[in-house]
Amino acid sequence: MPHRRRPASEVTPEYEDSGLFKNKVGQLQVELVPQSMYNGRNDLVVRGFVNRTIEIEVAFAGRRVKEVGPLEARLRQVRAKALKEAAEKGLPPPDTDHMRLPVLIEGAWRPRFQRDQAGWETRSYYLFAARWSLLDDEGNTLSFGSRPLVVARQSQD
């Protein structure tokens, strides 16, 4: 299979955004949990929930990854606070799914296919973040990212 990725020096913000944001961009309130990983493309992928119960994964990709430091720090704070409160009360550590950080995310949905143990492919979705906002310790809104310069195609409304 040929290697189709451009060298980093040739990737412009417009080219990057046309690859990341292939569908309509919208805003969504998400509760992120302190469980994340970096994938093979060095995108930060964070688990989260929409409407309190629908589990999703949010990807912070490309040049926007440089801005995720404050988000990662805030997720660590949420985890540390929950663990400390449980320890002070003599309770077992809470489940990670109950440690949540509300974040307003502007982004686009991208499908992902995974093969289960029986060989069936299941479809799930990533929310690729373009911009995101969260509250700091004092209640001030912190905003990161940038609006997409290119959206590959807009769906018909």
Side-chain angles (χ1 to χ4, degrees), residues 81-92:
K81 181 181 177 188
L83 294 174
K84 181 181 177 188
E85 288 175 357
E88 287 173 351
K89 295 177 183 175
L91 300 171

Side-chain angles (χ1 to χ4, degrees), residues 2 13 16 23 42 44 46 52 68 79 81 88 91-93 110-111 114 117 125 128 136-137:
E16 178 182 280
N23 297 306
N42 288 324
L44 176 66
V46 183
R52 310 250 344 129
V68 298
R79 186 177 193 290
K81 181 181 177 188
E88 287 173 351
L91 300 171
R110 292 275 301 276
Q114 289 183 304
Q117 292 177 348
Y125 291 90
F128 272 78
D136 67 8
D137 290 331

Side-chain angles (χ1 to χ4, degrees), residues 81-131:
K81 181 181 177 188
L83 294 174
K84 181 181 177 188
E85 288 175 357
E88 287 173 351
K89 295 177 183 175
L91 300 171
D95 187 290
T96 304
D97 287 356
H98 293 83
M99 303 176 201
R100 298 187 179 195
L101 174 66
V103 181
L104 179 64
I105 297 177
E106 180 180 345
W109 292 103
R110 292 275 301 276
R112 180 176 103 179
F113 296 92
Q114 289 183 304
R115 191 175 309 268
D116 64 16
Q117 292 177 348
W120 292 94
E121 283 194 352
T122 57
R123 184 178 189 161
S124 60
Y125 291 90
Y126 273 118
L127 177 61
F128 272 78
R131 295 193 285 191

Side-chain angles (χ1 to χ4, degrees), residues 60 63-74 101 103-106 129-136 140-147:
F60 300 86
R63 68 186 185 280
R64 293 169 178 88
V65 171
K66 297 173 188 167
E67 297 184 50
V68 298
L71 175 66
E72 289 180 300
R74 210 58 189 111
L101 174 66
V103 181
L104 179 64
I105 297 177
E106 180 180 345
R131 295 193 285 191
W132 58 99
S133 299
L134 56 120
L135 298 178
D136 67 8
N140 300 313
T141 300
L142 304 175
S143 296
F144 303 93
S146 58
R147 69 175 190 78

Side-chain angles (χ1 to χ4, degrees), residues 8-30:
S9 61
E10 294 179 18
V11 176
T12 65
E14 292 83 3
Y15 179 79
E16 178 182 280
D17 285 357
S18 69
L20 292 174
F21 303 104
K22 295 184 180 197
N23 297 306
K24 186 175 181 180
V25 174
Q27 285 190 345
L28 188 64
Q29 186 69 40
V30 178

